[in-house]
Amino acid sequence: MGYEGQTALVTGASKGIGRALAVELARRGARVVLLARSEEGLRGLAAEIRDQGGSAEVVVGDLAAADGPDRVVRELRERGLAVDVLVNNAGAGSAGPFLTRPLDAQLSSVALNVDGLLALTHALGADLVARGSGGIINVSSTAGFQPMPYQATYAATKAFVLSFTEALAEELRGTGVHVMAAHPGPVATSFFDGTSATIHPIADTPEAVAVRTLDDFARRRSTSYPGRVVTRTLNRTFAWVPRLLPRTVTARATGALNRRLGLHEVVDTDLPRGSR
Ligand SMILES: NC(=O)c1ccc[n+]([C@@H]2O[C@H](COP(=O)([O-])OP(=O)(O)OC[C@H]3O[C@@H](n4cnc5c(N)ncnc54)[C@H](OP(=O)(O)O)[C@@H]3O)[C@@H](O)[C@H]2O)c1
């Protein structure tokens, strides 16, 4: 499908991959609806897109809040914004040993990565099927293909997104609504901000991820491993290898890898001293 004249809602559009997806969608002729919590960031991006001749709307919302998705859907309807392409990109990480990391942050990442995505998909997906066109892109992660010690909650949320997206794609086959999961590997964003974790040195740029994700969706692929050629190949391979190994072996291997990356020692860096 092409993007010209389509209305695309991008969640988590204020920065990182979501911002890059919104810019690229606008460049391809879509009217973008930018959603996140930080109004200022969204308004700045909308102004940039309009300056380039594009069309952008701003919806401020917290998708991790219990009534957040409902409020967003209500606002979209009140403003007459009928979404053709839903890009469920907003997501939060949770790195470090499960038991010693704050529970609240992990619960709120589940609320955003799982509940928020489900609720928006449920509400807007029904509209898409009624119209018999458009589609849904769920931004998952290569983390979703295996258990990941020291990113246990995050990987579990992305495994949910992977399984849910594949099942929904099959349920909607033949309706005219296309559903795709995108699985980036490490991407250079502010994803780990506020903690001592750092993004992997081979990380892709958000722009490379956005371009490939949208190309793959336009080709009606069911899965995208977006990024540079080298990382696309690596990420595809890392997604396949766990299917061939016992899950305990995979968990040991990913645990060892994450220890090498220092994720077993992650602490918050933006909390007042003494409160960690
Ligand atoms: N970076 C990576 O290495 C990587 C790799 C694979 C997959 N991914 C996935 O890619 C997606 C985007 O990640 P990113 O790296 O671009 O992250 P990011 O730079 O931290 O951006 C996250 C975006 O989500 C928004 N957001 C956070 N909490 C929200 C909430 N409660 N309600 C609404 N919006 C919220 C943020 O805006 P506000 O703070 O203004 O709300 C921001 O726009 C996520 O699903 C992530 O899991 C990332």
Side-chain angles (χ1 to χ4, degrees), residues 7 15 30 66 74 94 102 115 121 126 175 197 226 252 266 275:
T7 297
K15 55 186 177 178
R74 222 177 304 130
S94 46
D115 300 8
T121 303
T175 64
R252 289 245 169 101
V266 164
S275 65

Side-chain angles (χ1 to χ4, degrees), residues 12 14 17 37-38 62-63 89 112 140 154 158 184-185 187 189-190:
S14 62
I17 298 170
R37 292 166 304 177
S38 38
D62 182 351
L63 294 175
N89 161 79
L112 175 62
S140 182
Y154 177 66
K158 293 303 180 177
V187 187
T189 67
S190 57

Side-chain angles (χ1 to χ4, degrees), residues 78-147:
E78 279 164 13
R79 288 170 59 183
L81 296 167
V83 173
D84 301 300
V85 181
L86 166 61
V87 187
N88 281 311
N89 161 79
S94 46
F98 172 69
L99 293 179
T100 58
R101 302 295 293 144
L103 180 61
D104 280 357
Q106 308 208 38
L107 289 174
S108 118
S109 77
V110 176
L112 175 62
N113 301 5
V114 175
D115 300 8
L117 179 144
L118 271 189
L120 269 192
T121 303
H122 193 262
L124 301 182
D127 295 347
L128 294 177
V129 169
R131 294 204 301 274
S133 63
I136 301 167
I137 301 175
N138 287 338
V139 179
S140 182
S141 168
T142 48
F145 288 93
Q146 65 282 301

Side-chain angles (χ1 to χ4, degrees), residues 247-268:
R247 290 180 71 80
T248 46
V249 172
T250 304
R252 289 245 169 101
T254 51
L257 178 71
N258 272 351
R259 273 192 295 276
R260 278 185 58 190
L261 294 172
L263 294 189
H264 61 309
E265 296 172 333
V266 164
V267 291
D268 291 315

Side-chain angles (χ1 to χ4, degrees), residues 174-187:
T175 64
V177 179
H178 182 60
V179 179
M180 183 186 89
H183 304 292
V187 187

